Amino acid sequence: MEVSLKQIQHAEIVTISGIELSAREEDFAGGSMTAIAGRLKARPNSEDCLPFLIMADCKIAGFLMLRKGQALPDWAAPDAVSLHNFRISGNMQGRGCGTTAVVRAARWIATHWPQASKLMLSVNVDNFAARGFYLRCGFQETTESHNGRLGVEHIMSCRVSDLMRESL
């Protein structure tokens, strides 16, 4: 399966369809695409937020957002990029699409934002599947947590160079 990232415009987020998630998965991934677009539109530093479609064999398989600079959340290190709203459609889960998307994101960061040394994210303490996925990709839990939209979230981090390995 050929997996790639396609950068999109902020206005295109509300038009994304075909990503099938359970209601709980959608909540953990930041809510509906309409809600994500609304929050992004309200952000003062939205130019530092880049949305991407995850494409698998030329079909939409998922979505992710990368943030840098002024758009970084308070819990992220200044030399990091943060990962948000990551989601893979249910029919594509378990097929390597998510893992490859993380590798592609790391390569994109290394090329376009080389000053960023790590990729950071937060994951809800009740989102065991996502936590396990991120650990398998090479992320490590930090000792920090914060209160997110749905409760306590653990902060995870990984060096960009470690994520670029093809054999995650």
Side-chain angles (χ1 to χ4, degrees):
M1 173 176 13
E2 179 62 34
V3 177
S4 62
L5 297 182
K6 177 183 177 190
Q7 189 177 345
I8 61 172
Q9 299 299 312
H10 294 172
E12 293 176 276
I13 294 173
V14 295
T15 67
I16 297 170
S17 61
I19 302 174
E20 300 172 12
L21 298 174
S22 70
R24 187 72 168 150
E25 287 174 322
E26 189 170 71
D27 280 347
F28 281 143
S32 70
M33 298 310 292
T34 301
I36 292 167
R39 286 193 305 272
L40 181 61
K41 189 175 183 179
R43 291 189 66 79
N45 301 307
S46 64
E47 68 278 355
D48 285 343
C49 300
L50 296 183
F52 293 86
L53 289 176
I54 300 166
M55 306 297 292
D57 293 336
C58 300
K59 295 178 184 161
I60 296 173
F63 176 83
L64 64 83
M65 178 94 62
L66 296 176
R67 292 189 197 172
K68 69 169 184 147
Q70 296 296 314
L72 282 172
D74 293 340
W75 47 258
D79 64 337
V81 169
S82 57
L83 174 66
H84 302 268
N85 311 118
F86 186 73
R87 60 189 68 212
I88 298 294
S89 188
N91 62 342
M92 297 302 291
Q93 292 176 12
R95 298 173 57 187
C97 188
T99 302
T100 303
V102 169
V103 172
R104 298 286 186 265
R107 287 185 177 164
W108 191 95
I109 293 165
T111 300
H112 295 90
W113 296 335
Q115 68 280 8
S117 64
K118 55 188 140 189
L119 182 59
M120 298 182 74
L121 58 92
S122 66
V123 62
N124 187 283
V125 296
D126 294 326
N127 194 348
F128 304 110
R131 180 183 170 274
F133 167 76
Y134 293 128
L135 288 170
R136 286 189 302 277
C137 285
F139 285 88
Q140 296 178 346
E141 290 183 331
T142 69
T143 58
E144 300 175 31
S145 62
H146 79 104
N147 288 318
R149 284 183 330 104
L150 303 176
V152 176
E153 296 181 358
H154 290 290
I155 310 304
M156 301 182 82
S157 180
C158 190
R159 291 171 39 94
V160 170
S161 59
D162 291 344
L163 290 169
M164 292 192 316
R165 296 177 311 190
E166 196 61 59
S167 58
L168 284 176

